Amino acid sequence: MIFPRRQIEESFLIMSKRTRVFRVDPKAPEAEAIAIAGRMIRAGGLVAFPTETVYGLGANALDETAVAKIFAAKGRPSSDPLIVHIARFEQLSRVAQAIPAGAVELGRQFWPGPLTLVLQKAPCIPANLTAGLNTVAVRMPDHEVALALLQAADLPIAAPSANQFSRPSPTSAQHVIDDLADRVEVVLDGGNTPIGLESTIVSLVEDEPRVLRPGGISLETLREALPNLRYEPSYLADDAPSAPAPGTMLRHYSPRARVILFSGADAAEVYAAMRAEINSHERVGILASDADAREFAGLDVAIERLGADADEAAHHLFAALRSLDQQGVDCILARAPERRGLGLALWDRLLRASVGSLVEVGTAPSD
Ligand code: TXA
Ligand code: MG
């Protein structure tokens, strides 16, 4: 339905009467907006802000009441702990303790950047932030808006992705507003986030370092610094009998439509299987690289192009899932990416979005 302009503006105002949106320069954010946002964090409010990965929904990490507001705003289960963001190295020893030398080394090498380290938590971190665990996830984001906000607030900031629980993570301020308008006091709009997928999470509290979630820094890069880094993907369904370890819940990045992931070594066979699936659904959306998109030209499907390579696909994936939902498709078909570089994180997000609907075409790849 098309509304006259005046009506759109009014409905927007009603929708977001509690939310102030400030457009900021992503490279050199305006001091006034940052000061207002920093004061809001210090006052116990919620501020959504861009990072290099996705938008975060931030609150004072040392304030239990403020942290509780994050869970309420997102509809996030209290069993799923948050990441603490810091702007300076000195803040690490404030939020974590018994920090191994390896953690400092990793931080020096990869921070600011899309790497989250799980360490033993310091006593000042409230129990609700870590879902009762004695560990805490920490990272230093590589984005001028996030760093300026952290400096202005002069506090560590707890921030999950700023989406409604189980919706695709937000890569633009509009996604945040679509999910959380009225539940967040301030949104800093710094444009689209550069990477588009969340940080890589590495646990350093076990005998050997272990990847809990693949993300913005590839395993290949991390293994140059940590040759014994382990990664054993494990996914638990919603109805699994035991409580899932943080980050292993299968349903996580779900658009409203059903997602089916097609994997196989022979591209032609994979396309054929995808095309054969189209008629079984009312309205189909396709996630495709620029090269793959032509395989579906002329068919009655909604195509979201993910670009030329894994980096571009990472940048576009969550926006594409949201867009296909808006176009009202009931099923989304995607070809599984190669599991290397950022492709591994893409694979993980697509598999979670598909809630296990993986079709192996022909002989499974041997990796
Ligand atoms: O890139 C990112 O990491 C973004 C931006 C905003 O920084 N944040 C983000 O947060 O993706 P969130 O809450 O959507 O995902 C955090 C993940 C969750 O899967 C949670 O289970 C895991 O981190 N996590 C947090 N604390 C943990 C802990 N102590 N042990 C194990 N996993 C933890
Ligand atoms: Mg999230």
Side-chain angles (χ1 to χ4, degrees):
M1 190 189 301
I2 297 170
F3 291 104
R5 176 102 198 126
R6 208 170 60 81
Q7 237 173 304
I8 294 176
E9 281 168 3
E10 278 175 10
S11 64
F12 178 77
L13 282 176
I14 292 164
M15 221 178 63
S16 56
K17 59 180 183 291
R18 247 196 77 201
T19 303
R20 297 173 74 186
V21 182
F22 295 97
R23 192 158 291 170
V24 290
D25 182 332
K27 301 274 187 235
E30 290 71 5
E32 198 186 331
I34 294 295
I36 292 169
R39 281 199 296 274
M40 186 55 74
I41 293 283
R42 291 193 73 82
L46 299 183
V47 175
F49 60 95
T51 78
E52 80 281 33
T53 58
V54 300
Y55 274 74
L57 177 62
N60 177 358
L62 307 179
D63 176 349
E64 186 175 7
T65 310
V67 167
K69 288 183 192 165
I70 294 178
F71 286 92
K74 282 193 61 144
R76 181 178 177 111
S78 59
S79 58
D80 197 1
L82 309 179
I83 294 176
V84 174
H85 296 68
I86 58 173
R88 296 185 311 275
F89 239 89
E90 310 83 79
Q91 288 177 312
L92 182 60
S93 53
R94 196 166 164 202
V95 301
Q97 60 187 4
I99 299 165
V104 176
E105 196 41 53
L106 285 175
R108 296 238 177 271
Q109 204 171 330
F110 296 107
W111 283 351
L115 173 67
T116 296
L117 299 177
V118 173
L119 299 162
Q120 242 185 72
K121 93 174 185 70
C124 65
I125 298 295
N128 61 346
L129 188 155
T130 64
L133 299 172
N134 58 9
T135 56
V136 63
V138 187
R139 88 176 189 99
M140 192 186 293
D142 187 14
H143 196 291
E144 293 308 322
V145 176
L147 291 170
L149 174 66
L150 283 157
Q151 299 283 9
D154 197 22
L155 286 165
I157 293 180
S161 48
N163 52 293
Q164 231 176 70
F165 177 67
S166 97
R167 296 267 298 139
S169 292
T171 55
S172 73
Q174 188 58 51
H175 297 161
V176 177
I177 293 163
D178 289 346
D179 277 18
L180 299 175
D182 250 1
R183 296 170 180 217
V184 47
E185 277 79 20
V186 172
V187 177
L188 294 173
D189 177 355
N192 292 340
T193 57
I195 296 179
L197 295 179
E198 304 89 337
S199 61
T200 304
I201 304 180
V202 173
S203 169
L204 297 177
V205 293
E206 299 161 42
D207 292 341
E208 288 191 316
R210 191 161 67 90
V211 170
L212 302 181
R213 177 180 73 183
I217 288 190
S218 73
L219 250 64
E220 293 88 338
T221 303
L222 284 173
R223 281 196 173 128
E224 286 172 24
L226 279 177
N228 61 341
L229 182 63
R230 287 162 43 208
Y231 175 54
E232 295 124 22
S234 65
Y235 300 98
L236 278 178
D238 291 351
D239 57 357
S242 61
T248 61
M249 255 184 308
L250 182 53
R251 176 185 284 281
H252 205 119
Y253 300 92
S254 306
R256 293 192 183 90
R258 175 177 174 208
V259 176
I260 307 178
L261 193 55
F262 291 77
S263 173
D266 185 311
E269 278 183 32
V270 173
Y271 299 136
M274 290 171 76
R275 282 191 298 258
E277 183 69 34
I278 291 171
N279 290 333
S280 319
H281 305 274
E282 289 260 310
R283 175 107 182 102
V284 167
I286 308 264
L287 292 173
S289 67
D290 289 350
D292 288 0
R294 70 176 77 102
E295 300 289 332
F296 304 93
L299 298 173
D300 183 21
V301 290
I303 298 181
E304 283 290 328
R305 294 167 72 117
L306 297 180
D309 55 27
D311 289 8
E312 289 184 17
H315 185 74
H316 293 302
L317 175 69
F318 288 138
L321 288 172
R322 284 174 181 261
S323 164
L324 288 174
D325 265 346
Q326 268 170 5
Q327 293 173 62
V329 306
D330 63 319
C331 184
I332 298 172
L333 310 182
R335 184 177 165 204
E338 274 190 76
R339 277 174 270 178
R340 56 184 160 85
L342 262 187
L344 181 68
L346 271 173
W347 163 275
D348 172 83
R349 305 309 187 268
L350 281 168
L351 190 73
R352 289 164 186 261
S354 73
V355 199
S357 284
L358 175 67
V359 178
E360 297 276 3
V361 183
T363 40
S366 56
D367 62 334

